[in-house]
Amino acid sequence: MIFRITLKELKENLREGRIRLSLLIVLALLLVSVFISRGYYLSVQQQHAEAKEAARDVWVSQDEKNPHSAAHFGTYAFKPKYPLALIDQGVDKYAGISIYLEAHNRNEAQYMAAADQTALSRFGELTPDFILLFIIPLLIILISYNAFSRENEQGTLRLLKSQGLNMWSLAMGKWWSVFLPVMLLCCLLFGVAAIFLGSLEDFGTLAPAELLIMLLVFLLYYAVFINLSLLVSALSKNSGISLVLLLSIWILSCLAAPKAANNLANGLHPYPTRMAFEAAIAEDKKNGLDGHDPWNQEAIRLEKAVLTEYGVDSLHQLPFNFDGYRMQKSEEHEADIYFKHYAYLREQHERQTDIYQATALFSPFLPARFLSMAIARTDYHTHWDFADAAENYRIQMQAALNNDFAQKTSYGDWSYKADRKLWESIPDFSYDPPELGEILQTNVLNIVILLLWFGLSLGGLFFATSKL
Amino acid sequence: MFTHQLKYELIGLLRSRWIQLLSVLLLLLCLFAAYNGRQKVDQRLEAIATAQQEVQEGDARALALIDSIADGHAVNVSSWQMPDKPATIGNYYPRVAYMPPKPLALFATGQSDMFAHYVKPSMRGEAMMLDFTEMTNPVQLLFGSFDLAFVFIYLLPLIVIAFTYDLLSREREQGALRLIAAQPLSVLHWLWQKTLVRILVLGTLLSLALLLSLALQGALTADTLPDLLLYWLLSLAYMVFWFALAFLINLLGQSSSQNAVSMLSLWVLFVLLIPAVVAQLGNSLYPVPSRAGLVNELRLVTAEVNEKADDILSNFLRDHLELASEEEQQTGFWERYLASQRVIQEEIRPVLNTYEAQLAQQQQWTQRGKLLSPALLLQDSFNELSGTSNRHYEHFRSEVVRFAEDWRAFFMPLIFKNQAVDKNVMAELPTFTYTETGDRLSGFSNFLVILVYVLLVVAGGFVYFRRQGLESVLA
């Protein structure tokens, strides 16, 4: 029975000009956006590869110099783009792409793409995620806003009832008739994306499972919207009201709720300004161990401690260069200061995330949004992960350089110059984004909320149809 | 006749639950949005005030030290932190270069969540390369802010749509339209007046909500009045544009729900799709070259320049004889550094110019593209009037770069001539003052363009009605 209803509804929908037209428009938009996205992805990937190679080249081919001078010269970590960014660009353009790794300082990622764009792009861009997250739910509303209200207006509902038709079967028939074309559309998009991704050289890192799970997230998100649309349509007196109500729901969950969550999060748990953050770190550093300043109080204390530990009475008698040793101790101390301040930043970020998740109870858009960009590795969490990896690399790099200086020279000897061998002995920075399992684990709440939305809206639909 | 209809429609509207609900909703949305805007502006002001206070405290400490040194007391400060050295003041006692919010900044967040409102450029001369982006959760930037601009650009049209989608079709569906048509009046005029009444009602509500929410946030002062007037005109024009569309759609003679679908499709077109396509085209046509590439280029130039630092310094002193010390030629760190910084800047300038040129091209494209949608015109004007547009931040940036040059120029002679910083020098330190870059003209021209849109749509309605005749509406 459900099958027959689905077939009839499908035929009817496809006969309607506006639905055919909007399906075609959405399909065209999707294909164009994937195509644009592919070009963008390829060019960014190439830029990244070139920059990474050049940065390594600059590092290993630097002149012979004191290891600590090389530490100040530093190098760069570049954030790679994950292939699934092709489908969801997430927050990528609002996060920096490169981190300068130098002695004494943990730097923030620089050069967000959005800073090189006009205010217009804040409206959104023609990317697959824009179509998938915003436009397709609208398409669903357009197809199904009058599913029940029209039957009601035309009096056919009464006829159907008199035939003894189970209203739940009717609802399910209508449900599938909306879901099937949308699913087809999505599968087509993901199919095209898979072909593009398959043609990439670094496709190896991408498991088909990820594409599939992303597809499932979107389908679940659409199922919620179909439930809601049918629910509202069953409850509304006429189609016009149903449409206006559904649009209000759409705007609330896709535009208003995320923005309101933003203001709430920023009001309650604001980030410090960049200047204030840097000033706070500088203040902490001032009171601590300064590797460049042997007369600094902390440095004198360290000197005494080391002398007693080795049972000698002059720094010259130490088996290593105390300058290098102090430099490394100071580096470790500074890394701790950064760790403390970044821990605060992370805390603020986690509190903000909690607010987004609480708001997700009012908006099915939010969990879908966060899940999809998490799988695409274009979310904020991945950015943190990258920044942390870069910081770890920086700490190891500093340790290698300082230790080389401390071991190979004696106290007071600043004339030592290391060469290419040392530069090459420090491995190139490479970053692997978190694995799928880990991502699903951190996003378990988003999954639960999305499922909750699905369950509740389906229950609502069941309840509403039983009352028809 | 019109007064009769006005009275009848007004009573009908005021009694309608739907309208009461919408007015309360509009008011609440405006209040919430204005509150959010105020909060952001307050955060901005607070950050600037804190930074300035820190500078004052730092100055007081420096002055005390300078006094002690002048009096011949020993001070417990390491050599590179001695405030009587010009390089110390130039680097560790920078001024706050800040961009104060415009009086109506709370109206549109614009780009203000992305860029910093104050920086402290030091003598090192990195101002040109300074990262002006603010430290923020990128999710904040992705979702944007719930501000008045959002309420007006996105939500107001939807309220208009809810107000008008069945303006004529409902009368037809209830059978009243034929009765009205039988009366000695033109259906066109009747519909026109009906629309006008709604424009008046919603316009009044909108104005009240706007005034109330701004008044509550203390943004209603005499100096905001000209800007506010322009905001108000723009918002009204935008609202009238959506009414005009409803007028046209109602004349097409479709059913209420078809009208609603048509109106919503237009909303999606003007508010979502056209902006997205224009933005995408701007980025695709004028892509900014790779920033990742810039990073390496800058490093290579710097390394090259550092290698030649000594030559550069002597060339530099040859060009700037006034800076050469009369005593023996000093070739200290700062002399060398400043001289080579200048060379680096000169070498990297052309590369940076390519970024600015592409961004300027994008900007130009946007200026043309905005004509395609009243929503874009409105966003452009709102950001412009709130002082949160890209143009404002670029202006701030160039002001900072100029100030950083002044700051450095102030210290250069002191360093090269080995002069100590005393009280007088501290009193003469350059200070940053932001010069406003107001532009009401573009707001007004955007207003006119929206009016042209309105006229075109209304004229379209009239022409269609003349061609199709009454029957197409009645059927």
Side-chain angles (χ1 to χ4, degrees), chain B residues 225-294:
Chain B
L225 224 53
D227 282 346
L228 188 61
L229 195 71
L230 204 46
Y231 273 118
W232 182 67
L233 283 177
L234 280 159
S235 318
L236 282 186
Y238 184 64
M239 185 193 79
V240 170
F241 165 72
W242 287 97
F243 271 108
L245 279 181
F247 173 76
L248 174 70
I249 297 286
N250 268 286
L251 278 177
L252 298 182
Q254 301 168 309
S255 74
S256 292
S257 65
Q258 278 173 325
N259 280 350
V261 169
S262 308
M263 292 293 294
L264 294 180
S265 312
L266 286 172
W267 182 84
V268 172
L269 182 74
F270 282 120
V271 180
L272 291 184
L273 282 180
I274 291 181
V277 171
V278 173
Q280 186 64 61
L281 277 172
N283 295 339
S284 302
L285 290 176
Y286 309 106
V288 171
S290 154
R291 284 280 181 187
L294 173 71

Side-chain angles (χ1 to χ4, degrees), chain B residues 109-149:
Chain B
T109 303
Q111 300 282 71
S112 71
D113 48 358
M114 196 154 87
F115 293 112
H117 294 108
Y118 74 98
V119 285
K120 298 198 260 182
S122 72
M123 201 181 59
R124 291 204 188 95
E126 73 283 68
M128 208 167 56
M129 293 303 298
L130 265 189
D131 198 349
F132 277 69
T133 52
E134 191 46 275
M135 194 157 155
T136 176
N137 183 340
V139 178
Q140 292 266 332
L141 301 179
L142 180 69
F143 290 162
S145 182
F146 197 114
D147 52 5
L148 281 167

